Amino acid sequence: MRYFLSSTILAFGYLSSALARGSEPPPALRPADKAPVEHVRVTARHHQAGGGMMVVHTVPKTVSTLTSDFISKQSPMSTPAGLIANLPGVVASSQGPLTTSFESFHIRGLDRTEIGVIYEGIPAANPFTYSVYTTSMVDPENMGAISVMQGSSDMNAPVYNAVGAQISMSLRRPATHPVLFGQASGGTRSVNKEFVRFDTGEIGHSKVYGFVSGSYSSGNLWRGPGSVSRWHMDAALTRQWGHKSESELVFGYTKADQTSWLYPTQAQWQQYGIGYTANTDPTSPGYYQIYKSNTGTVFGALKNHFAFAHGLSLDATAYSVRFNGPYSWGTPVPVSNGYLGTQRYDHLDGYPPSSRRIQAVVNNPWFTISSGLSLVGRWQKSFNTLSVSYWYSYANQAVERYYYPLSAQGQWTRSSGYLTVFGGRRLTEDAQNAMQQLNAIALNDRISLLGGKLTVDAGLKTAMVSRQYTMDLPGADPYKSVRNVFVPVPQILLSYRFADAHQIYVNGTTGYRMPNTLSSQVSTYSVFTGRPQSRPLDPYEPEYMIGEEIGYRYSGALIANLAYFHYNMTHHQITSTSYVPGTTNLISQAIDAGGQSADGVQLELGTRPWHGLSLHASGQFMKSRIGNNIAYQGDYLPTKGKQEPGAPRFLANFGLSYDDGANFGTFNFRYSDAQYATLMNDQGIPAYMTADLSLGRRLPKIGRVAPSLQLNLINVTDQHYLSSVYGYTAAARPQRGVFGSRLAGSQPTYEIGSGFAAIVGLSATYE
């Protein structure tokens, strides 16, 4: 990562000085849209439809966008998942007014592991587990826009898990003149955030523009003991080469520390409610001082767009991302007759033989490094645009686990030494290393007819993925697993504009996702039994989707989008996540749920401002079906015809915005229908409603300083609810198999939605 950043900075500086003469300063917005990729450009801050929750799109797919105007009026602790919860088809879990955990969300019934997430051309998800660390990628104050493409993904996007949706986040561009912006906010549970951004304007006479920002946020968890803190930095440099070519260097850094959330079963939720939290007992595995996630992210990207003569252009992006831990949690460890892999030990080194168990903390210092190069070449000639793209990605992940003894006061140190067996070998349940290489090539042709009213896009993307796992434990079977997969991904898009304000579009798309989680290829082994806690996925096949949409858009006095969609999946995979009894150790098991299909209708409406007032409303009705019975415990569960877990039938959102230039406010209401948590539909969460409110005023300028005051109220009615399914299972209760076997059930786990929070912020702009 260090070498990538130093090399790109040097290259950027050299290119800047070499081309300094004869170039013009960059405009405040991005270059003109380049077909067939659609870019959102917003120029009128107080004149956006739906209060910045809806913009005009022309791409023949269903897309929804939140602009920086809407984002700036939300809580400064907002996360991308919390923001897109206001868009149609999205169910997102908000675990607290401030969180640094990876985020959970569903779009059209598909969970976060099946949704591609892109930030400025950089894959924002772990390339092996698909955990989405969007809270580590960008501060909301720097976010230019966030878009959700429901049902499909961009053919040239660098994603390996976009089965049926894509989230794209963009950075707010550097200003063309020096600007200093600062913000301080605070609220309930000692939540606070300080943010400062400096836009340089033109640096010397280099035609280079940039910004750098930094923030610190912290607070107590809104439920239970513990705290959260986050340091973050964003930076960017841009250089325009003439009118149509541009280079941009993007950098980000995050360091976060958070007491981890506990995820209840339904019985635990009914017994404890929001009181189900990490506890204050130092002798418990759930002691809050040891149940933590310390995460970090460092990323950099060099993006280039070069326009040449004869309609030729090239987009080139090089990036590198590092995600890292450690996580830590508590667990008892057997002093004698425990296991390392499948090999039993007599007793822990330094401990006399005993039947007792000692309390230990598991320290898990994992890291993932991912780097890649994306190239997209286009040739536009008359009514035809041909594009060819290539994406190469290399990723490596290493996971270790160290067991440290806990004192009676719940304290531990690395200097005291980790637990060992067999005369010095480290005790662990997980000693894995993973490597992945991906090559993807795409060819797309676009034809524009009838003066641009009719467009036809047809393309084919092929992905070649090689993934290798090793598990360095005695008796591990398999010790090494190598999988090679070839996936073709075709698509066709049609659009017809029969009037300036009216558009009809039809598309047929496909998408894929490589199996996620460690357990898809190798097993983990219990220190208590020496038996596998999870087993490799069989068969090992990528999840594959075929989807169709037909939609209608209107962009006149109001903006509207109505779409019918259908998709069919094969080898649909869900991840069952549960706690090892007596510990806070989460074990994941991939399940091939076979075929699945869904049909739905989606509507989104946004009004243009009238006397500063604008409305936004959306709704979705979807019916999903599991297509077959699922192999389970040597028999088959009768799951055919059941509803897909995590897929509510009905979703609704309503937004009201007001902005007269001095006073502003937003009100956002969300409703989610009930959803199942098991393939057998024998347990789930009820429907719920939440609402957020923001109020603000832009105060009179004091010299060159423009101050602003803002109040954000989250979950204004203080609803206590389960917001999402965290760990699915096949069945919650014992079931009778297709062939008569008595099949055991296991309990799903759930995420608890954020309670009420009030946050007040004061900001000022100096320019």
Side-chain angles (χ1 to χ4, degrees):
M1 181 67 190
R2 179 178 59 189
Y3 301 115
F4 168 80
L5 288 176
S6 60
S7 300
T8 52
I9 290 171
L10 287 172
F12 188 87
Y14 177 79
L15 198 57
S16 173
S17 60
L19 299 178
R21 292 190 176 89
S23 299
E24 297 186 9
L29 300 171
R30 293 188 181 276
D33 296 351
K34 307 180 289 297
V37 178
E38 181 188 52
H39 296 283
V40 177
R41 298 193 299 168
V42 179
T43 57
R45 175 177 168 181
H46 304 307
H47 303 280
Q48 299 170 20
M53 298 181 69
M54 197 168 184
V55 301
V56 177
H57 288 278
T58 58
V59 64
K61 297 180 179 181
T62 303
V63 185
S64 302
T65 297
L66 299 174
T67 70
S68 60
D69 187 38
F70 172 81
I71 296 169
S72 67
K73 295 170 184 173
Q74 308 312 301
S75 165
M77 287 78 170
S78 296
T79 64
L83 291 169
I84 64 173
N86 299 289
L87 294 176
V90 180
V91 180
S93 172
S94 174
Q95 298 189 63
L98 174 62
T99 181
T100 62
S101 302
F102 63 77
E103 301 192 274
S104 294
F105 44 84
H106 292 73
I107 299 176
R108 292 186 177 176
L110 305 176
D111 71 23
R112 59 178 171 79
T113 67
E114 298 166 302
I115 298 164
V117 183
I118 302 297
Y119 170 60
E120 285 291 332
I122 306 169
N126 185 309
F128 298 97
T129 66
Y130 309 139
S131 297
V132 183
Y133 300 98
T134 48
T135 56
S136 296
M137 300 305 286
V138 61
D139 270 320
E141 294 87 349
N142 292 327
M143 196 177 295
I146 180 168
S147 297
V148 175
M149 183 178 291
Q150 299 100 331
S152 60
S153 65
D154 178 20
M155 179 165 285
N156 297 322
V159 290
Y160 17 63
N161 63 317
V163 175
Q166 178 181 315
I167 299 171
S168 301
M169 299 178 291
S170 63
L171 189 67
R172 187 159 60 87
R173 306 282 286 174
T176 56
H177 59 283
V179 180
L180 179 63
F181 174 81
Q183 183 183 64
S185 55
T188 52
R189 300 290 294 178
S190 301
V191 168
N192 68 93
K193 181 177 181 179
E194 295 76 46
F195 173 88
V196 62
R197 168 170 166 149
F198 175 62
D199 287 79
T200 65
E202 185 179 7
I203 300 175
H205 299 288
S206 64
K207 310 299 183 182
V208 174
Y209 296 74
F211 84 86
V212 61
S213 73
S215 70
Y216 173 75
S217 50
S218 65
N220 298 322
L221 298 190
W222 78 271
R223 59 181 180 92
S227 61
V228 55
S229 63
R230 173 183 179 267
W231 294 91
H232 182 76
M233 175 184 174
D234 289 317
L237 292 171
T238 63
R239 176 63 155 86
Q240 191 86 6
W241 316 112
H243 291 286
K244 298 182 179 180
S245 299
E246 182 185 46
S247 295
E248 181 178 19
L249 180 64
V250 179
F251 173 79
Y253 167 83
T254 301
K255 183 180 184 300
D257 181 5
Q258 177 171 342
T259 304
S260 297
W261 305 105
L262 277 179
Y263 302 101
T265 63
Q266 190 176 82
Q268 291 165 335
W269 169 251
Q270 292 172 350
Q271 180 178 358
Y272 301 104
I274 63 172
Y276 185 73
T277 64
N279 61 56
T280 56
D281 180 4
T283 64
S284 168
Y287 182 44
Y288 77 99
Q289 291 282 28
I290 61 174
Y291 192 37
K292 291 191 173 185
S293 59
N294 299 283
T295 54
T297 302
V298 182
F299 68 87
L302 178 61
K303 304 173 58 181
N304 301 279
H305 172 70
F306 301 112
F308 308 104
H310 309 295
L312 294 169
S313 66
L314 174 66
D315 289 276
T317 300
Y319 66 87
S320 185
V321 187
R322 176 187 169 99
F323 302 112
N324 65 270
Y327 297 152
S328 62
W329 60 88
T331 182
V333 174
V335 173
S336 299
N337 299 321
Y339 290 84
L340 176 63
T342 62
Q343 187 174 351
R344 192 179 72 174
Y345 59 82
D346 292 331
H347 58 86
L348 297 172
D349 292 343
Y351 290 80
S354 171
S355 61
R356 71 184 181 95
R357 296 178 176 182
I358 64 170
Q359 289 295 333
V361 61
V362 182
N363 187 254
N364 175 214
W366 62 273
F367 74 86
T368 300
I369 297 176
S370 175
S371 300
L373 174 66
S374 175
L375 302 172
V376 182
R378 293 185 179 87
W379 179 37
Q380 184 172 356
K381 184 70 173 179
S382 184
F383 58 85
N384 190 77
T385 302
L386 179 68
S387 66
V388 180
S389 68
Y390 171 70
W391 173 40
Y392 173 76
S393 169
Y394 175 85
N396 176 256
Q397 176 171 284
V399 178
E400 301 282 354
R401 288 187 185 178
Y402 297 86
Y403 289 75
Y404 294 89
L406 276 174
S407 70
Q409 293 75 38
Q411 298 174 342
W412 67 281
T413 62
R414 291 183 178 85
S415 61
S416 64
Y418 49 77
L419 297 177
T420 60
V421 294
F422 305 129
R425 184 158 186 182
R426 172 172 54 92
L427 180 66
T428 185
E429 287 181 335
D430 192 355
Q432 63 151 306
N433 190 281
M435 184 273 289
Q436 175 180 282
Q437 293 192 78
L438 179 146
N439 290 271
I441 301 173
L443 176 67
N444 190 85
D445 194 35
R446 184 190 197 200
I447 300 175
S448 180
L449 304 171
L450 304 179
K453 292 184 178 181
L454 175 65
T455 61
V456 180
D457 282 83
L460 174 65
K461 178 180 182 178
T462 58
M464 295 149 281
V465 185
S466 176
R467 181 180 286 179
Q468 171 183 297
Y469 274 102
T470 58
M471 178 59 73
D472 189 17
L473 289 176
D477 183 25
Y479 160 73
K480 182 178 181 179
S481 172
V482 180
R483 299 288 187 173
N484 297 297
V485 175
F486 174 82
V487 189
V489 189
Q491 73 171 20
I492 184 167
L493 316 172
L494 296 93
S495 171
Y496 179 65
R497 301 187 67 89
F498 56 90
D500 289 342
H502 303 271
Q503 179 191 9
I504 295 175
Y505 61 92
V506 180
N507 65 61
T509 59
T510 56
Y512 75 98
R513 185 195 72 160
M514 291 291 293
N516 72 314
T517 77
L518 161 74
S519 62
S520 65
Q521 289 189 231
V522 292
S523 298
T524 59
Y525 293 82
S526 169
V527 296
F528 301 105
T529 66
R531 293 192 294 269
Q533 299 178 110
S534 63
R535 293 187 180 277
L537 189 64
D538 185 25
Y540 187 91
E541 296 287 346
E543 191 172 274
Y544 197 82
M545 172 189 278
I546 300 174
E548 302 88 31
E549 280 185 327
I550 178 169
Y552 164 75
R553 283 196 183 101
Y554 173 76
S555 55
L558 56 80
I559 300 177
N561 188 80
L562 175 65
Y564 162 78
F565 62 88
H566 168 81
Y567 65 75
N568 190 70
M569 302 178 67
T570 59
H571 296 289
H572 175 50
Q573 295 152 19
I574 67 171
T575 302
S576 173
T577 304
S578 58
Y579 291 101
V580 176
T583 78
T584 50
N585 181 21
L586 286 163
I587 295 296
S588 296
Q589 172 66 61
I591 301 174
D592 190 326
Q596 175 185 298
S597 61
D599 292 90
V601 178
Q602 181 177 303
L603 174 66
E604 185 176 18
L605 301 170
T607 66
R608 300 185 187 276
W610 179 75
H611 296 286
L613 191 67
S614 56
L615 303 175
H616 177 270
S618 67
Q620 176 181 284
F621 176 80
M622 183 181 72
K623 186 175 181 180
S624 61
R625 297 165 298 279
I626 298 174
N628 50 267
N629 297 324
I630 307 300
Y632 185 69
Q633 295 180 1
D635 201 331
Y636 284 85
L637 278 172
T639 54
K640 185 175 182 179
K642 302 291 186 181
Q643 186 173 330
E644 175 191 356
R649 290 201 172 184
F650 184 69
L651 296 170
N653 296 280
F654 174 77
L656 178 65
S657 300
Y658 177 79
D659 194 332
D660 62 10
N663 303 294
F664 61 89
T666 65
F667 173 77
N668 297 294
F669 167 85
R670 294 174 291 274
Y671 170 81
S672 174
D673 204 359
Q675 51 186 294
Y676 291 113
T678 69
L679 295 171
M680 280 298 296
N681 292 176
D682 58 354
Q683 194 179 109
I685 63 177
Y688 62 86
M689 297 178 288
T690 62
D692 300 335
L693 177 68
S694 70
L695 299 169
R697 178 173 175 81
R698 301 178 184 94
L699 303 175
K701 292 187 70 173
I702 305 172
R704 299 174 65 180
V705 177
S708 180
L709 187 64
Q710 183 169 312
L711 169 67
N712 292 99
L713 301 177
I714 300 169
N715 190 1
V716 292
T717 57
D718 195 23
Q719 297 290 311
H720 294 173
Y721 64 102
L722 296 175
S723 61
S724 183
V725 182
Y726 180 75
Y728 302 97
T729 66
R733 296 191 292 268
Q735 301 287 336
R736 183 70 65 184
V738 172
F739 299 124
S741 301
R742 185 72 171 171
L743 305 178
S746 58
Q747 294 301 302
T749 52
Y750 301 92
E751 296 186 13
I752 299 175
S754 173
F756 170 79
I759 299 169
V760 178
L762 177 65
S763 63
T765 302
Y766 176 85
E767 54 184 322

